[in-house]
């Protein structure tokens, strides 16, 4: 198993990031046929700790059973529209 992982840096406007990200995830679901409410991925928010603000704001991670499955998903018409 492997994971497609995206790390998002700290945004200058967290509110705008959240709005844009919500719209992007809705588009991902629509274009790939993932039903609304189903999350075959995880989203992790990074919070400030004792060492200050982390370099990343959020991580998106989606598992795939093989490299071939990942490549097939990325080459699909729905993902090409992203």
């Amino acid at each position: 198993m492997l994971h497609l992982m995206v790390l998002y840096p700290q945004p200058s406007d967290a509110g705008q990031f959240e709005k844009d990200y919500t719209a992007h995830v809705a588009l991902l679901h629509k274009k790939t046929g993932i039903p609304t409410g189903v999350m075959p991925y995880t989203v992790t928010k990074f919070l400030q700790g004792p060492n200050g603000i982390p370099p990343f704001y959020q991580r998106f991670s989606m598992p795939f059973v093989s490299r071939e499955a990942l490549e097939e998903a990325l080459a699909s018409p729905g993902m090409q529209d992203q």
Side-chain angles (χ1 to χ4, degrees), residues 56-79:
F56 298 104
Y57 179 75
Q58 180 173 289
R59 178 182 67 196
F60 171 95
S61 179
M62 188 170 198
F64 289 88
V65 295
S66 67
R67 181 182 181 121
E68 292 78 19
L70 170 60
E71 290 172 351
E72 183 179 320
L74 292 175
S76 70
M79 288 299 285

Side-chain angles (χ1 to χ4, degrees), residues 25-37:
V25 167
L27 182 63
L28 172 71
H29 279 255
K30 178 181 175 186
K31 294 291 186 174
T32 60
I34 299 170
T36 302

